[in-house]
Amino acid sequence: MAEAQLCGLVQDEFTCSLCMDTLTDPISIPCGHSFCLECLTDCWDESQVCRCPQCREIFTARPELHMNTVLNEVVKKLKKVGLRSPPFQNYADPGDVKCDFCIGLKFRAVKSCLTCSASYCQTHLQPHFELAAWKDHKLTDPDENLKEKFCAKHQKCLEIFYTTDETCICSKSVVTGHKNHEMAELETDREEKVLLVTLSDIRGRLEEREKKLRETRRVMEQKKISVEREVDENEKSFTDLMHCIEEAQKKLVEKIREQEKREIEKAEGVVEQLEKEIEELKKIYAELKELSGTKDNLHFLKTFPFCRVLPADGDSLSFTVIADVSSEDLRKELSCLKKILEKITQWDIMTLTSGREAPVLTLQPPEPQRRDEFLQYFCPLTLDLNTAHKDLHLSEWNKKVTCERTKPEYPEHPDRFDYWEQVLCREVLTGTRCYWEVECTGDWILIGVAYKGLSRKGKDRECSLGINDMSWSLLCSDSQYAVRHNDEETFISAPYCPRIGVYLDWPAGSLSFYSVSHTMTLLHRFNTSFTESLYPGFGFWLDCKSSVKICHLTPCDH
């Protein structure tokens, strides 16, 4: 029992720090640490420098390795009384950062050293806490990309932020090439950048996004309920209409059949009467013909007065058979009903197609005319910071953009305009009707929409709103308006108005710009066929300090 307890206490002392298993053929080196013979041999064979894997002491000449017979006997005896190999629960899994000093199966690294440029498991990390020379080393969380944190030229840790060209350099680079440039320590500069975005600002944005998410989900549920109710009501209306038509058709057929029956019965009576009269007339005709042939005048005169009297002509022929049955008035009414149904089926039905999906039919009400009708399609917009040119300043929760040319600290982003002073919105507009309004301050302001594929880099015309086939825009100045698309420009003569309304009917391929005051005046309407989703956007020409503010609207604002 005492031996087993002893084994538990000294187990770690007989563990090889390279393979993390119980020592096998143990050897001891001049610094006093012990390892498996095979583990240390493999370690030194793979390295150009002979150093202790545990305390890191360097040996100028490679020591000869001999088995420590005493230690070997101790390990064998301890194994007999229950010495076990250390647990394996810390071995590195796929995706974990591995210890650089484990031999064979590697353990999971618990720290990375920026001074040593290596990662360590718990056992191999101990010298950093035990040796005074290593206690000043900079330890970080395990990082498998340590090479990116070192200067490629001097192989030293990147510690200085070179603010002139926004690059990181090592301390040796400061002496060799960046003596007089503006720079800051990485940790200090990081703190300064973090302070630029306060916690209250983040909290406000978070609350706004959560509120918008809840509202969007609520609207989606209401929309589903509304759609189902509308479908049910329309189905009921059309079912009732079809039932009414079927009943009307059934009753009409019954009435026509009844009329037919009555007329046929009358006609059959006339036919029977006519047949009797014909038979009677044939008999009288035969008797008279026979009498006319006799030569006995006395017989003729005696017989003729007693011949049958002819029936009154015209009594039985007063009935007229109607061959055709006509319902002209009914057909006129049915024709009017058919036109009404055709008008309903053609009531602003738009066909939407997205990629290879099947076409979807949607019913659209008539084109809005008054501002309150436009507001029914109000679409809230938010400016996308990742697209804003560095001369532009976003404010008021990304609802306002100002051309200040103060060079804010915007990070590099593939979606950012790097030459044209422009910014796009986050919202994706497709397959529906949308309306928004903006307040303009200053001169030479662009308002428009663009496909996502609009180029962002360089001064080519492919990047400017309206001067390509990927975008449409309205240019506003205090003296005139101009609309542009695909390098075509049209000037508009209209009084200047700081508030502009934009109405997009994506299914109909219509984009309209209005000046908004006490009335709405159409400035221009593009008629096209949109093939992709659209993003609202704004830009500035020439004039500094100009700004555009996205208005917050509700249907009650008219």
Side-chain angles (χ1 to χ4, degrees), residues 192-215:
E192 293 175 353
K193 289 183 178 296
V194 169
L195 290 177
L196 293 176
V197 182
T198 63
L199 289 176
S200 60
D201 185 23
I202 296 175
R203 189 182 300 110
R205 295 188 183 188
L206 179 61
E207 292 175 353
E208 181 188 20
R209 299 300 187 277
E210 290 177 344
K211 181 180 179 182
K212 186 174 181 180
L213 177 61
R214 291 193 299 271
E215 181 65 19

Side-chain angles (χ1 to χ4, degrees), residues 445-480:
I445 296 173
L446 280 173
I447 303 170
V449 297
Y451 290 147
K452 185 177 182 179
L454 181 70
S455 299
R456 315 296 171 90
K457 308 301 181 184
K459 61 178 67 176
D460 293 338
R461 304 167 74 86
E462 304 301 323
C463 305
S464 180
L465 278 173
I467 315 185
N468 46 68
D469 60 354
M470 303 285 286
S471 59
W472 296 257
S473 69
L474 172 72
L475 176 62
C476 307
S477 71
D478 58 0
S479 58
Q480 64 182 1

Side-chain angles (χ1 to χ4, degrees), residues 10 38 95 197 212 215 246 304 307 315 338 343 382 409 415 423 468 532:
V10 301
E38 183 179 357
V197 182
K212 186 174 181 180
E215 181 65 19
E246 290 173 355
F304 180 76
C307 288
D315 292 343
K338 179 183 176 183
K343 185 177 181 181
T382 305
E409 292 289 338
D415 293 339
V423 61
N468 46 68
E532 300 177 26

Side-chain angles (χ1 to χ4, degrees), residues 72-84:
N72 188 40
E73 291 299 323
V74 172
V75 171
K76 287 181 178 179
K77 290 180 179 180
L78 288 174
K79 284 184 176 180
K80 291 180 179 180
V81 296
L83 181 64
R84 300 177 180 177

Side-chain angles (χ1 to χ4, degrees), residues 390-422:
K390 291 188 176 182
D391 287 346
L392 304 182
H393 175 71
L394 305 189
S395 59
E396 300 186 18
W397 300 101
N398 290 346
K399 297 291 185 181
K400 183 178 181 180
V401 55
T402 306
C403 182
E404 292 186 347
R405 298 185 179 140
T406 56
K407 300 292 183 185
E409 292 289 338
Y410 291 155
E412 292 297 327
H413 198 281
D415 293 339
R416 192 177 308 286
F417 292 98
D418 64 356
Y419 178 80
W420 297 96
E421 296 169 336
Q422 298 175 162

Side-chain angles (χ1 to χ4, degrees), residues 52-69:
C52 174
Q54 192 161 338
C55 67
R56 313 297 288 174
E57 180 179 344
I58 299 176
F59 306 107
T60 54
R62 179 167 177 168
E64 291 188 12
L65 303 179
H66 300 286
M67 183 186 300
N68 188 327
T69 56

